[in-house]
Amino acid sequence: MIIGNFCPFVYPFDMIKIYPDGAWVLEGSSIVPDGEGAGAELAKRGLSLSRDQGRRGTIAHGILEAHNGGDGKNLALTFDALASHDITCVSIIQTARASGMDRFPLPYVLTNCHNSLCAVGGTINADDHAFALSAAKKYGGIYVPPYLAVIHSYMREMMAGCGKMILGSDSHTRYGALGTMAVGEGGGELVKQLLGKTYDFPSPPVVAVCLSGAPRAGVGPHDVALAIIGAVFKNGFVKNKVMEFLGDGVGNLSVDYRNGIDVMTTETACWSSIWKTDEKVRKYLEVRGRGGDYRELEPADAAYYDGLIRVDLDAVEPCIALPFHPANVHTIREFRANAKDILAGTEKECLKTVGGSGPEMNLVKKIHGGSLHVDQGIIAGCSGGSFENITAAASILDGKSTGADGFSLSVYPESQPTLLELARNGAAAKLMEAGVVMREAFCGPCFGAGDVPANGDFSVRHTTRNFPNREGSKPDEGQIAWVALMDARSIAATAANGGRLTAADEIGFSPGGAKFFFNRNVYEKRVYGGRPGTAGGADKGASRETELVFGPNIKDWPSFSPLLSHLLVRIASFITDPVTTTDELIPSGETSSYRSNPPRLAEFTLSRRDPGYVQRAKDIRRLGEDLRDGKTDGETELILSTIKAVPGYETIEKDRITLGSAIYARKPGDGSAREQAASCQRVLGGRANLALEYATKRYRSNLINWGILPFIVDDENAFHPGDYVFFPGIRESLLGGEKTVKGFVHGEGKPLEIAAHLGELTPDERNILADGCLINYYAKDRTG
């Protein structure tokens, strides 16, 4: 059954079929859609299983159960390892310290692949690296120096293993192709693991992704990934679910190819991913000196899945995802045939995102001479920078030239071991001789801190995202650059044509079979291993006497007050975009240098989407502080009179009211796991978010961990910018386990009563919200 109406993108759907009502997978590849015929098919094979029994046959179920301390419906997970990079690790360690942590109780990898080249603020990036190394020495962590590896490549090479679970403070924490269920979350969830707590989550549905056939020459992992994202993102088919990759087609893919698809599952909004494993995975681990981490993972002979996606790899074509989302997918063939109309439509959609007074929309101007011309190509990071992607690009560009005009191509290998092998086998030389610039392991192009295009440029990238200003432009200052996602093979083909958009399957490309040799010495000689046997580096162990190294930009968290009996919030920003990304909530790029300084970073909150938000939030925070301190003036008296207009609260005590700001957005939180998208709101006095839904589980968790009530509301027409919303008795309702509370909107006229839904919250989460943030809750827990 093809769910075409779920997928509005114009590309062939014959390659993907969706079974929305569940399906059985028999013997790892035979698909039996759920329904009356399923029972007969099972009986024919001598099986009599309920759906619940069939769910236990999934790979995901076995791994989750092995890490679960809760019941079957509510998970309480303990992970095997943690991973962070230099945008997130300092604030995580600072939060854990403030909450009572005195050691890392499990392997914790601290990579330095984000704030490496971004030079804003002088020494502050290197200061964060020095802090991370001192923390690894003090608490027993694993420190990976700058330029040695991007976070996910190191974790794949050195930490992932079959049957493991890894939690990372980056949304693209995905190692499913290596048999590891990995989850990207905000820092608060890592803090809980560092405090010996569990990751609590309702047991997620599992969706099978059955692969058949094999990709043809010129079709790369990004093409397959984009095709899947285009089919499932907008309908939310896999949102907060596990994607389990099965089928005969898996065996036709190399492990590098599988990793390239797997890392992009984040863009489907799924919770985690897992793949069946085979001898290719064994070899991958053995080459890296970790053959003992292999075991075969297969579903049971009869496994039931809550949904199923069937992908015919033979039919996948080279794809392009246009601005501003990885789900805006077309085949390159279809796109080129209709480029003018498609780009005109893209301009209109982008104009809605950046605002009517934004910079000039100039995409259609990229078409001239009958072709679309791009200005820049990037192959980089955890998705694009793999050995196979780069060697394929080198094969295409061997003996050719990228040209001496405006087009440029930069390549960022995922790790130093990969770069070393590219140098040894000649691939790097082929690329450089063609005019390509070879870079180091660095995530900058993926979040706007490296190879930022010129204003109006069109960039094609094998990276993870193409959100607004994700490449570093500033639309609010009249700048805009365009990013489209493509596979490395088609980017190389485009480069060989001097920037004229070209699909790799048009050029007679033969991928070859370059062999990869992993040199472990690269890590042995540079990685600091604070836990013996885990890093592959110098195993030094931890020393509690080590002093943490604080640069002048590294600041402690400010104090956060608990939630009082009643809550009054004022809407400081009102956003009606279909989706609001975390990059819009707190911009990436040069602001990343301030991630270790919460008050400084908070100044950038919503700066590229609603520049007036910060001052409005500060004004509301000041009023809240005045109310808390008993100061009264005309403004606070007006606030109190607003509340007293609600029947039953004519004599309310002002010292029992929490006053803060709120953000309304239809669907906030798509994209990065960075907790700062929530913590910056909290630093500015935020106490609630109002939304029709939340784009990701991780953003909602970030709100909770920082004491921001994640309300779901039914009708945005009940609210307007600047309205006050009063939630009487909120603390009692929260701690009493209520899922829906009563609120009163104060705008024009009489107060309007509304229902605000809190949804599922664990007892710990309710206490965190009541105490004002997880630091308060866990510090209190430690001190009794």
Side-chain angles (χ1 to χ4, degrees), residues 669-682:
D670 187 28
S672 172
R674 292 191 303 266
E675 67 184 276
Q676 292 92 344
S679 63
C680 285
Q681 296 175 42
R682 187 70 175 93

Side-chain angles (χ1 to χ4, degrees), residues 209-240:
V209 184
C210 289
L211 306 180
S212 63
R216 61 178 182 262
V219 173
H222 229 35
D223 298 315
V224 178
L226 293 176
I228 294 171
I229 294 164
V232 303
F233 173 74
K234 281 204 170 181
N235 57 30
F237 185 61
V238 296
K239 181 179 176 180
N240 293 333

Side-chain angles (χ1 to χ4, degrees), residues 491-566:
I491 292 173
T494 297
N497 279 335
R500 183 169 62 85
L501 189 71
T502 307
D505 65 350
E506 300 174 34
I507 60 173
F509 162 63
S510 177
K515 194 170 183 180
F516 180 77
F517 297 91
F518 182 78
N519 191 327
R520 194 180 176 96
N521 287 333
V522 176
Y523 292 147
E524 293 282 358
K525 293 177 179 178
R526 287 293 294 133
V527 172
Y528 180 90
R531 292 179 67 89
T534 57
D539 293 335
K540 300 293 186 181
S543 174
R544 305 290 173 83
E545 289 73 36
T546 300
E547 294 291 330
L548 294 175
V549 177
F550 286 91
N553 184 62
I554 298 175
K555 305 296 183 184
D556 291 334
W557 288 104
S559 61
F560 297 114
S561 59
L563 182 66
L564 300 177
S565 300
H566 315 288

Side-chain angles (χ1 to χ4, degrees), residues 324 447-448 467-475 481 583-584 587-588 608:
F324 285 129
F447 70 99
F467 292 167
N469 63 263
R470 180 84 181 187
E471 81 302 320
S473 66
K474 298 180 180 180
D583 285 302
E584 292 171 287
S588 55
R608 295 180 189 167

Side-chain angles (χ1 to χ4, degrees), residues 125 153 244 246 262 371 490 547 559 578 625 711 770:
N125 290 334
S153 300
E244 184 162 310
L246 312 165
D262 184 64
S371 299
S490 292
E547 294 291 330
S559 61
E625 291 167 350
F711 288 123

Side-chain angles (χ1 to χ4, degrees), residues 6-28:
F6 277 0
C7 308
F9 306 103
V10 186
Y11 63 90
F13 283 94
D14 289 346
M15 68 178 98
I16 294 178
K17 294 184 180 181
I18 297 177
Y19 299 77
D21 300 322
W24 292 85
V25 175
L26 308 180
E27 298 177 356

Side-chain angles (χ1 to χ4, degrees), residues 5-142:
N5 62 316
F6 277 0
C7 308
F9 306 103
V10 186
Y11 63 90
F13 283 94
D14 289 346
M15 68 178 98
I16 294 178
K17 294 184 180 181
I18 297 177
Y19 299 77
D21 300 322
W24 292 85
V25 175
L26 308 180
E27 298 177 356
S29 59
S30 297
I31 301 170
V32 180
D34 200 12
E36 294 181 9
E41 186 63 33
L42 291 171
K44 193 187 302 181
R45 298 169 184 255
L47 298 171
S48 178
L49 297 172
S50 68
R51 293 187 185 92
D52 283 343
Q53 289 172 320
R55 287 185 178 97
R56 297 187 195 112
T58 65
I59 300 171
H61 176 85
I63 296 175
L64 291 172
E65 279 303 295
H67 293 80
N68 185 25
D71 58 36
K73 292 185 177 180
N74 297 290
L75 302 176
L77 298 175
T78 301
F79 289 82
D80 297 297
L82 306 178
S84 291
H85 49 62
D86 46 353
I87 281 181
T88 57
C89 70
V90 177
S91 62
I92 290 169
I93 294 166
Q94 287 284 72
T95 303
R97 288 179 62 236
S99 304
M101 180 205 71
D102 60 3
R103 67 184 181 90
F104 295 159
L106 72 168
Y108 186 14
V109 177
L110 310 174
T111 65
N112 295 275
C113 53
H114 278 61
N115 279 350
S116 303
L117 294 180
C118 188
V120 173
T123 69
I124 60 181
N125 290 334
D127 293 345
D128 285 354
H129 302 159
F131 175 93
L133 177 57
S134 69
K137 293 178 178 179
K138 183 177 183 67
Y139 300 120
I142 301 160

Side-chain angles (χ1 to χ4, degrees), residues 261-274:
I261 298 171
D262 184 64
V263 73
M264 291 298 291
T265 59
T266 295
E267 304 310 321
T268 68
C270 77
W271 177 71
S272 187
S273 63
I274 191 67

